[in-house]
Amino acid sequence: KKTDKKAILTIDDNGGGIEDGVVNRVFDYRFTTMSEIGGTGVGLYFVKLIVTEKFNGTIIASNVKNGARFVSTFNLCDSPA
């Protein structure tokens, strides 16, 4: 979705969602719910760094029916004259 000043990217998956107790931690450095299969906890951390530091945006995670939702909001730059 695009507005005059923002672009909003919403991604839903059908992987069962994120445990309610940890959904607010999924972007933390080295946090993983998949340590038993070799998860390092850096993937979503780096996604957040890119969105926030390179694109001056935000990203949030939440649960939806049957899965998780990730919403990234990007501030759009003014076009050069």
Side-chain angles (χ1 to χ4, degrees):
K1 180 164 111 172
K2 182 182 173 202
T3 67
D4 287 342
K5 297 185 181 200
K6 295 183 185 278
I8 302 168
L9 173 66
T10 302
I11 300 170
D12 289 356
D13 73 19
N14 61 356
I18 304 165
E19 292 179 42
D20 288 332
V22 300
V23 71
N24 292 326
R25 297 181 57 209
V26 296
F27 299 107
D28 292 354
Y29 180 65
R30 305 285 291 169
F31 177 78
T32 183
T33 59
M34 298 186 289
S35 58
E36 66 279 352
I37 61 170
T40 62
V42 296
L44 289 175
Y45 169 76
F46 283 123
V47 168
K48 183 178 180 181
L49 279 181
I50 292 166
V51 168
T52 59
E53 299 203 6
K54 298 296 181 185
F55 293 100
N56 194 28
T58 61
I59 186 167
I60 58 169
S62 62
N63 285 310
V64 294
K65 184 178 180 180
N66 299 321
R69 172 173 288 165
F70 297 87
V71 179
S72 297
T73 304
F74 304 93
N75 297 315
L76 298 176
C77 299
D78 293 329
S79 299

